[in-house]
Amino acid sequence: MTVSLDTLAEEFSEYRTHLLGVAYRLTSTLADAEDAVQEAWLRLSTVDRSEIKDLKGWLTTVVGRICLDRLRSAAVRRERYTGSWLPEPLVTPLSGAPGEDPLETIVRDDGVRMAALVVLDKMTPEQRVAFVLHDAFGVPFDEIAETLGVSAATARQYASRGRKAVADANPPPRASLDEQRGLLERFTAALASGDLQAVVELLHPDVALIGDADGKARTARRVIHGAEKVARFLLGLMVRYNLPEGVAVGQPVLVNGDLGVLLPDRPGDAEHLEMTRRVSAFAIRDGKVVGFYDVANPEKLTRVTV
């Protein structure tokens, strides 16, 4: 029986948010994710619906195949990227009831935390697709193998390597918002005080600060490791940008489901640098900040409207 295009569109719309979540988790870029979902719809509209037994699974696999091509292209583009590369942040309101924005659904997934995506971004495209499709979304290895153009055994190996990469990186689990809020308040106060030791005590010994600007704004060009180095860097920024109230000058938001700060443009003067708009996110381990992610690349903030 032939399915009308309107009926097909209704069926597809049921899975649109799911597919957007799959594509974003695979690409770390909202524009690529949206393009992949749109392309999946175009492919669906040209096939015989009666031959598809599991529409959700079929669409998930198709999105994975599309994202694989985009990941391979992105790997080439990133070779020319200036400084560190971070995922495009998904910024949603901190307060209020969840709205109808699909992003507010996607960010509830633990796998789209900034710390988790940073690990995925270090995998090869094949490892990432195999690991995410199988471990996160239950796609069988024979279907993943077809997507990758390899044997099922090789697809399993790709997923296993991805799994090992995650285990080795050991990204911290998501802390509760109450814990995040309390730590951020203490961290803000410590920065405002200018007390190096007070800041160091709130940073995990393994803390890493990663900035992403692609040379279009000021941020850390290289990853900064260690509590004292990160503390000195942040306190130095307080002086250079004239931020007496620390990160409290920004608006608290959720960044990929975790507490973060949206910092607006801040003009400079004869003695202080101008600060451009950015989103800062944090990861917590053992009650201390273990990850600090500063996304300052304006091209990654075009969707931020909070």
Side-chain angles (χ1 to χ4, degrees), residues 1-5 8-9 11-12 39-55 58-59 62 65:
M1 183 178 69
T2 302
V3 176
S4 71
L5 197 60
L8 197 62
E11 286 188 279
F12 181 80
E39 188 172 339
W41 158 248
L42 294 175
R43 294 189 186 186
L44 176 63
S45 64
T46 63
V47 301
D48 184 352
R49 170 65 180 89
S50 63
E51 296 182 359
I52 303 174
K53 295 181 180 180
D54 176 11
L55 182 58
W58 186 89
L59 287 169
V62 168
R65 188 174 299 121

Side-chain angles (χ1 to χ4, degrees), residues 150-276:
V150 298
S151 67
T154 301
R156 287 179 182 275
Q157 190 175 50
Y158 279 135
S160 176
R161 289 173 180 170
R163 209 172 293 122
K164 183 178 185 302
V166 173
D168 289 345
N170 190 26
R174 175 173 283 169
S176 70
L177 281 180
D178 285 342
E179 181 182 356
Q180 293 181 49
R181 186 178 290 108
L183 178 57
L184 185 58
E185 288 174 354
R186 296 195 301 275
F187 189 62
T188 300
L191 283 174
S193 74
D195 185 336
L196 175 64
Q197 191 55 39
V199 177
V200 169
E201 288 177 358
L202 294 173
L203 295 173
H204 193 279
D206 297 328
V207 65
L209 185 150
I210 307 174
D212 178 338
D214 194 23
K216 300 177 176 68
R218 291 188 180 92
T219 188
R221 288 285 294 271
R222 297 183 179 182
V223 180
I224 301 174
H225 295 279
E228 184 163 340
K229 288 183 179 180
V230 170
R232 289 186 182 280
F233 177 78
L234 293 174
L235 288 172
L237 293 183
M238 299 282 293
V239 176
R240 295 175 69 190
Y241 290 114
N242 190 27
L243 300 176
E245 299 177 16
V247 290
V249 298
Q251 176 185 355
V253 292
L254 292 179
V255 182
N256 291 52
D258 286 324
L259 189 62
V261 179
L262 171 61
L263 293 152
D265 290 322
R266 186 179 177 88
D269 54 36
E271 298 179 358
H272 303 97
L273 294 175
E274 171 192 18
M275 186 178 71
T276 56

Side-chain angles (χ1 to χ4, degrees), residues 32-213:
D32 281 341
E34 291 174 335
D35 288 348
V37 172
Q38 181 61 24
E39 188 172 339
W41 158 248
L42 294 175
R43 294 189 186 186
L44 176 63
S45 64
T46 63
V47 301
D48 184 352
R49 170 65 180 89
S50 63
E51 296 182 359
I52 303 174
K53 295 181 180 180
D54 176 11
L55 182 58
K56 183 179 181 181
W58 186 89
L59 287 169
T60 300
T61 301
V62 168
V63 165
R65 188 174 299 121
I66 296 167
C67 289
L68 176 64
D69 293 337
R70 292 183 176 274
L71 282 170
R72 287 169 172 166
S73 298
V76 176
R77 295 196 304 271
R78 289 183 197 175
E79 291 177 359
R80 301 188 296 270
Y81 204 82
T82 301
S84 301
W85 193 97
L86 285 171
E88 178 184 350
L90 299 183
V91 180
T92 51
L94 177 61
S95 59
E100 297 181 358
D101 187 340
L103 296 185
E104 296 188 22
T105 299
I106 293 170
V107 297
R108 298 174 199 161
D109 190 328
D110 215 43
V112 301
R113 290 174 299 123
M114 191 67 73
L117 290 176
V118 166
V119 178
L120 293 181
D121 281 332
K122 295 178 181 178
M123 298 180 188
T124 67
E126 293 77 13
Q127 290 170 0
R128 186 170 187 169
V129 169
F131 170 72
V132 170
L133 289 186
H134 181 268
D135 285 38
F137 299 106
V139 177
F141 278 119
D142 56 348
E143 295 180 22
I144 295 173
E146 184 178 348
T147 295
L148 298 177
V150 298
S151 67
T154 301
R156 287 179 182 275
Q157 190 175 50
Y158 279 135
S160 176
R161 289 173 180 170
R163 209 172 293 122
K164 183 178 185 302
V166 173
D168 289 345
N170 190 26
R174 175 173 283 169
S176 70
L177 281 180
D178 285 342
E179 181 182 356
Q180 293 181 49
R181 186 178 290 108
L183 178 57
L184 185 58
E185 288 174 354
R186 296 195 301 275
F187 189 62
T188 300
L191 283 174
S193 74
D195 185 336
L196 175 64
Q197 191 55 39
V199 177
V200 169
E201 288 177 358
L202 294 173
L203 295 173
H204 193 279
D206 297 328
V207 65
L209 185 150
I210 307 174
D212 178 338

